[in-house]
Amino acid sequence: MLDYLATDYAGAVKDGAVISTSEYAEMREFTATARSRIAALPPTVATPALLQQADTLVASVEAKATPAQVATQAHALADALLQAYPVPTAPERAPDLARGATLYQNQCAACHGATGHGDGPAGLLLSPRPVNFTDQTRADQRSALSLYEVISQGVAGTPMASYAQQLSSDDRWALAYYVGSLAYAKEAVAGADTWQHDTAARAQIADLKELSRARVAQLTPTLGAERARTIVGYLRAHPDVIQQQALAGIPLARARLAASLTAYRAGAKTQATQLALSAYLDGVEPVEPQLNARDSALRAQLETSMGAYRSALSGNTPVESVVKQADAIDGLLVRAQEVTADAASDAAAIFLGAFTILVREGLEALLVVVALLAFLRKAARPEALRYVHAGWILALVAGGITWAIASYAISISGAGRELTEGLSSLFAAFVLLGVGLWMHQKSIGGRWQAYLKEKMAAALNRRSAWFLFGLAFISVYREVFESILFYAALWNDGQEVWLLSGIAAGAAVLGLIAWVLLRTSRRLPIGTFFSASSALIAVLAIALTGKGIAALQEAGWVAVSVAPVPHIELLGIYPTWQSLLAQLAILVLLAVGFVFNIRRGRQRLPSPPTTREVLPDAD
């Protein structure tokens, strides 16, 4: 409906005046209906923003705004809807255009005409008249996805009915691609040469999902109308090409970086930012495992520089400054391409990468789980241990399922991965903040034996035990999730033996660390144990906060302002002001909480416990 509005509004309003009363009435009806349907959708965190966009669109139509403004707002709202309520937006395989042509003649030609001009014998009797698919001005606003949805859903208030029952999904996609190519028949003939040699054009569309959602009007600011029509026309007529010759990895990142600069010069700031984000998520992120194994410092530098570049695009940064940033990033990408060129054939790099990933990602989760286990043993509550063990074991199982999904079922996008990492990191940091303050309170409270005997039954009831399960699960799964996707990328490099060897070596190191920490914790006096645990958990909360903000920056949710500090990934320290300020806020909360605990402990318990007072082992 929004796409129909974006396409047909130009036939209702021109220069601020209504040129077709019936069309304008339909446009007003469509905006009101779209707004009411959005309000009726299951609520999400995006609902307020969606309703605000819908209200803005309604107001623009009421004010008889320009067709370009209404089209932009309608398409933006449609894109936001697809993000908030994901649905399949592309065919599973390249559509069969020959099949689409046959279906068109059998199902559509009577109304739309044999050549798509909207002049079929049945169509001449309809009101409103069928769409002329060869009208480029109209076709420029439409994607293959929008045509597929019209075929599937029909258009209320018009003779266009739904074909969801008559045609399979593959047939509807074939028909949509065929219909979408009719306006660009001439351009498609010259498209092969453009697709082969025009890197900037190839940077715009990397897979069937992007091709299905691509519109000429969307690509025009970067490519110009003629090149955009040539590329879209050629790829819609030959969708199989996109799977055979599309750019990928660092070449895709470089091409999209250049395209983002072109879009920014043309004044298309939103598109420039989206292209820059895609340059990292779709170009750099898939090769991060190889890059990390060879040059982790270069990967970190790319991450920060590309984040700062996106922030510059979002502001009113002078073009000259943006050009300098883009040139510097392109130089880093050239180095990254050289570094990763032969990484797949380097067994040592694969082994080291697999080992480093597991130890780096697993250490944080291990520390949380070990602290929980040691705490329960100190508290003489062995029956609660099974909740912690169930948490981390099920996290590993969920990781295996994630591997299967990422490898065989669906492709987890870079943005989806970063959002999962970022939000789970911040959630874990928030939980650990509370746990750390609680442990610190108990470390200075005194009279441990009395406290544990009198309070532990209440403190570790069934609800608290499930809380321990949840904390163990989320702490382990967030690390497993990232590791699994790294390993899925490395697995495709053909060095499976070395990859598995690296994982085994990393697991052995983590097992040794866990054994040492558990044995050490048994010998610590209870007060010392709680003090050390609270300090450790506080550090983990700070580190996870930095990592969470960094992941949201990579996903484009948080801006990036470079700060003059070193990058220390183990501690979650990133050279951006946003992550540092978030960590500073956590540090302040911890400091305030610790001071409060100390004062409260002195007032309530003036007689501290003996330093050698230790509970018997609860093994």
Side-chain angles (χ1 to χ4, degrees):
M1 185 174 291
L2 289 167
D3 183 83
Y4 194 90
L5 169 69
T7 305
D8 280 15
Y9 180 81
V13 174
K14 183 178 181 180
D15 299 327
V18 175
I19 59 176
S20 172
T21 303
S22 61
E23 283 285 342
Y24 183 62
E26 187 178 51
M27 297 300 100
R28 294 179 66 193
E29 179 187 355
F30 274 22
T31 53
T33 302
R35 204 276 181 200
S36 64
R37 290 189 178 185
I38 291 172
L41 289 170
T44 71
V45 293
T47 297
L50 291 172
L51 291 174
Q52 184 178 6
Q53 285 182 271
D55 289 337
T56 301
L57 180 59
V58 170
S60 295
V61 172
E62 291 295 328
K64 304 177 184 63
T66 64
Q69 178 180 336
V70 169
T72 299
Q73 291 175 352
H75 285 310
L77 179 53
D79 290 341
L81 275 169
L82 287 173
Q83 289 183 351
Y85 303 92
V87 296
T89 57
E92 295 181 358
R93 61 190 66 84
D96 183 348
L97 268 290
R99 173 66 175 165
T102 300
L103 289 169
Y104 179 83
Q105 295 303 323
N106 293 338
Q107 303 284 345
C108 313
C111 293
H112 291 278
T115 57
H117 284 77
D119 55 358
L124 296 176
L125 305 176
L126 298 176
S127 179
R129 290 278 296 275
V131 169
N132 176 3
F133 291 126
T134 65
D135 180 354
Q136 286 192 338
T137 302
R138 179 185 177 89
D140 287 350
Q141 294 290 345
R142 311 211 73 170
S143 64
L145 171 62
S146 67
L147 293 168
Y148 172 84
E149 290 297 338
V150 168
I151 296 168
S152 301
Q153 309 292 339
V155 181
T158 76
M160 181 62 198
S162 166
Y163 282 80
Q165 300 300 320
Q166 295 95 317
L167 301 177
S168 68
S169 178
D170 285 345
D171 281 350
R172 280 176 276 147
W173 276 115
L175 186 55
Y177 266 74
Y178 175 76
V179 168
S181 68
L182 293 177
Y184 311 114
K186 294 181 180 179
E187 287 82 359
V189 174
D193 185 67
T194 303
W195 175 252
Q196 287 286 346
H197 301 101
D198 192 336
T199 304
R202 293 179 67 186
Q204 303 295 320
I205 302 172
D207 53 35
L208 276 175
K209 183 177 180 179
E210 292 183 353
L211 176 58
S212 296
R213 296 180 63 175
R215 294 175 285 106
V216 168
Q218 167 196 358
L219 303 179
T220 295
T222 304
L223 299 179
E226 183 177 351
R227 288 168 68 202
R229 286 170 175 166
T230 299
I231 286 296
V232 169
Y234 173 69
L235 292 178
R236 284 187 186 172
H238 305 88
D240 54 309
V241 171
I242 198 70
Q243 296 176 310
Q244 301 169 4
Q245 301 176 4
L247 294 174
I250 300 299
L252 175 63
R254 295 187 65 194
R256 293 210 162 163
L257 176 69
S260 74
L261 184 57
T262 302
Y264 189 77
R265 283 171 166 159
K269 291 172 56 177
T270 300
Q271 186 178 0
T273 303
Q274 291 173 344
L275 286 166
L277 181 60
S278 175
Y280 184 83
L281 293 177
D282 301 321
V284 176
E285 182 135 322
V287 299
E288 268 195 359
Q290 297 93 323
L291 191 56
N292 259 327
R294 288 298 194 87
D295 194 337
S296 59
L298 175 58
R299 193 272 307 162
Q301 190 177 1
L302 261 176
E303 180 183 308
T304 303
S305 299
M306 295 184 81
Y309 176 71
R310 293 194 301 271
S311 295
L313 295 177
S314 301
N316 295 315
T317 310
V319 173
E320 295 77 11
S321 177
V322 172
V323 170
K324 289 181 180 179
Q325 285 183 273
D327 288 343
I329 293 171
D330 190 62
L332 295 175
L333 289 172
V334 171
R335 286 173 53 197
Q337 190 167 357
E338 294 171 352
V339 167
T340 58
D342 60 343
S345 60
D346 190 335
I350 295 295
F351 175 87
L352 182 61
F355 174 82
T356 304
I357 288 169
L358 186 59
V359 173
R360 185 188 68 213
E361 303 299 335
L363 186 58
E364 291 175 2
L366 175 68
L367 292 175
V368 174
V369 172
V370 166
L372 294 176
L373 293 175
F375 161 69
L376 292 173
R377 285 173 171 162
K378 285 289 186 183
R381 295 305 301 267
E383 72 278 7
L385 291 174
R386 66 177 183 270
Y387 289 90
V388 178
H389 287 306
W392 70 262
I393 291 173
L394 286 179
L396 295 181
V397 172
I401 295 173
T402 302
W403 179 302
I405 292 174
S407 301
Y408 305 108
I410 64 171
S411 175
I412 299 176
S413 69
R417 166 180 151 180
E418 296 300 341
L419 287 177
T420 301
E421 291 178 22
L423 296 177
S424 61
S425 293
L426 293 178
F427 174 77
F430 176 78
V431 173
L432 288 175
L433 175 64
V435 172
L437 291 174
W438 182 85
M439 282 193 166
H440 179 262
Q441 180 188 33
K442 302 312 171 190
S443 71
I444 60 174
R447 303 188 182 279
W448 288 105
Q449 296 285 10
Y451 169 77
L452 291 174
K453 289 178 180 178
E454 296 174 7
K455 301 294 185 182
M456 194 52 62
L460 284 179
N461 55 26
R462 183 173 295 275
R463 185 175 61 181
S464 297
W466 280 109
F467 167 79
L468 295 176
F469 166 84
L471 179 57
F473 180 86
I474 194 68
S475 298
V476 174
Y477 181 72
R478 67 164 297 278
E479 304 295 351
V480 171
F481 180 80
E482 183 174 9
S483 301
I484 286 296
L485 296 182
F486 274 135
Y487 289 140
L490 290 174
W491 187 269
N492 295 327
D493 285 337
Q495 298 284 353
E496 291 83 358
V497 173
W498 290 102
L499 176 66
L500 293 174
S501 299
I503 294 174
V509 169
L510 289 178
L512 178 62
I513 294 174
W515 179 78
V516 171
L517 290 176
L518 286 172
R519 284 188 63 86
T520 302
S521 66
R522 292 174 183 174
R523 292 178 169 81
L524 288 177
I526 294 179
T528 304
F529 167 77
F530 271 81
S531 297
S533 296
S534 63
L536 171 63
I537 288 177
V539 171
L540 288 175
I542 294 172
L544 287 176
T545 299
K547 291 189 174 185
I549 296 298
L552 295 183
Q553 288 175 322
E554 291 181 28
W557 277 33
V558 178
V560 176
S561 301
V562 179
V565 298
H567 180 196
I568 308 175
E569 191 160 359
L570 184 63
L571 298 178
I573 297 176
Y574 294 83
T576 71
W577 286 113
Q578 289 81 3
S579 61
L580 291 174
L581 290 175
Q583 289 178 308
L584 179 61
I586 296 296
L587 184 60
V588 169
L589 288 174
L590 286 167
V592 171
F594 285 0
V595 170
F596 177 78
N597 285 340
I598 292 172
R599 291 182 177 178
R600 187 180 181 188
R602 288 174 178 172
Q603 293 172 357
R604 290 191 173 187
L605 294 168
S607 55
T610 60
T611 58
R612 292 295 179 184
E613 190 175 13
V614 185
L615 284 179
D617 276 341
D619 307 272

